[in-house]
Amino acid sequence: MGISKKEMSSRPTGKVSYDNSGRVVLVSGGAGGIGQAICEQFFRSGASVVCMDVDEKAASKLSKGIAFYPGDTSRESCCREAVDSAVEQFGALDVLVNNAAIQPPDSYVPLHELSQETWNRMVAVNFSGYTFLAKHAVRQMKQQASGVIVNLASGQAHRTARQVPCYGPIKAANVLQTMQWGVEYAREGIRVVSVSPGAIDTPLVAASLEAQGGGQDLANRHPLGRIGRPQEVADAVLWLSSPAASFITGTDLQVDGGLGAFGAFADPYPS
Ligand SMILES: NC(=O)c1ccc[n+]([C@@H]2O[C@H](COP(=O)([O-])OP(=O)(O)OC[C@H]3O[C@@H](n4cnc5c(N)ncnc54)[C@H](O)[C@@H]3O)[C@@H](O)[C@H]2O)c1
């Protein structure tokens, strides 16, 4: 996928200092990529974790002890059942991570070539799915008078490129969902935050590079000189959902190796 392993840092991963014992966490799209790292980090730090995903086969590779709910986030009934299943199994819902999103190859087109089918599916998963899961999570969190919702947005929520007429605008909407829900429930003990990753080494990015013909030097576009690891996004999610971030709500954190700070006018780094 055009990204050499030596460009990745040697930072040890998988070590978490947060204690999530007794907390119940629901992660959508937790069977692969960033969601999988989030499930595993929460699980390692003591949480009871439910992974909701459409990919049952991939979910079988999660650590034993992580519960699985097979479901499609674009269907509200599945979202309600996933929340109910977490509460029935573990008695509460402390953290929801809205992570499941898609970027199919046929979405890489200029606006005038976009099909209604592709648009509708991306809105259904990447936007409506976040709303449905949050709606049912909030019902439970209001009863508890506590909870945290973390939305996975994207660097593409903040700046854009050619041929992404769906993905970027919908990711921007994820940041506005974060702000609106954060404001709505601030007095009810519920915090809402989002993270906007730069390019992270996951199947979604591999497929995206392929759809764009390959050959991009993605690592070099990040001031840190490499793309990120799923665990590095998971670290940010764990911190934001911990009491250490108790005064943070309705806002977005860019976890992007400096990508967002790097101006288009700047001299490119030598390859
Ligand atoms: N990888 C990146 O570089 C990057 C950058 C910015 C933002 N993000 C965001 O981070 C999140 C995770 O991305 P990723 O790269 O790990 O993706 P991924 O494609 O590697 O994994 C996504 C997971 O979601 C699941 N999924 C897809 N549709 C679903 C549905 N309707 N219901 C339930 N599960 C579903 C998939 O089966 C898969 O397990 C997404 O919101 C994505 O937009 C990723």
Side-chain angles (χ1 to χ4, degrees):
M1 60 191 262
I3 299 153
S4 82
K5 287 289 171 205
K6 76 174 190 310
E7 286 165 333
M8 304 293 283
S9 109
S10 56
R11 173 185 179 275
T13 59
K15 304 222 183 325
V16 282
S17 51
Y18 294 107
D19 181 6
N20 281 301
S21 312
R23 295 180 94 199
V24 182
V25 181
L26 172 61
V27 182
S28 71
I34 293 169
Q36 180 186 0
I38 294 169
C39 282
E40 297 289 352
Q41 297 275 68
F42 269 115
F43 186 63
R44 269 196 292 270
S45 65
S48 300
V49 179
V50 179
C51 161
M52 173 189 192
D53 205 292
V54 286
D55 191 341
E56 214 159 335
K57 197 168 155 215
S60 66
K61 297 189 187 122
L62 289 169
S63 289
K64 206 166 166 278
I66 294 178
F68 178 60
Y69 177 82
D72 180 341
T73 56
S74 70
R75 296 174 56 196
E76 183 173 6
S77 56
C78 290
C79 294
R80 190 186 61 241
E81 284 163 21
V83 169
D84 288 350
S85 142
V87 175
E88 274 159 26
Q89 287 179 78
F90 302 114
L93 181 61
D94 299 296
V95 181
L96 165 68
V97 184
N98 261 326
N99 167 81
I102 54 170
Q103 192 171 18
D106 64 4
S107 69
Y108 288 94
V109 289
L111 176 64
H112 66 278
E113 288 177 17
L114 179 63
S115 75
Q116 186 172 354
E117 193 186 5
T118 300
W119 170 255
N120 287 348
R121 184 64 192 151
M122 288 185 75
V123 169
V125 178
N126 298 12
F127 184 54
S128 306
Y130 280 35
T131 295
F132 297 147
L133 264 180
K135 170 183 164 181
H136 293 286
V138 160
R139 288 183 168 171
Q140 172 65 24
M141 289 172 177
K142 272 167 67 70
Q143 286 178 36
Q144 300 167 183
S146 69
V148 182
I149 298 174
V150 185
N151 295 322
L152 266 290
S154 169
Q156 292 196 44
H158 303 277
R159 62 203 70 80
T160 193
R162 285 174 292 133
Q163 305 219 324
V164 283
C166 304
Y167 186 81
I170 298 170
K171 285 286 150 188
N174 296 155
V175 174
L176 263 291
Q177 288 172 313
T178 302
M179 293 167 69
Q180 202 279 324
W181 306 342
V183 167
E184 188 85 53
Y185 299 112
R187 303 283 170 104
E188 304 198 48
I190 301 169
R191 292 191 299 109
V192 187
V193 290
S194 58
V195 294
S196 282
I200 308 296
D201 191 9
T202 71
L204 184 140
V205 161
S208 145
L209 289 176
E210 207 179 305
Q212 295 172 84
Q216 300 92 332
D217 187 3
L218 256 193
N220 206 39
R221 288 186 204 164
H222 293 68
L224 285 186
R226 62 178 177 86
I227 65 168
R229 289 188 166 124
Q231 288 85 351
E232 291 175 307
V233 180
D235 283 342
V237 170
L238 260 75
W239 171 65
L240 281 168
S241 57
S242 78
S246 54
F247 200 54
I248 301 177
T249 197
T251 195
D252 181 72
L253 176 67
Q254 299 194 44
V255 181
D256 67 354
L259 184 69
F262 194 42
F265 52 80
D267 286 338
Y269 286 93
S271 297

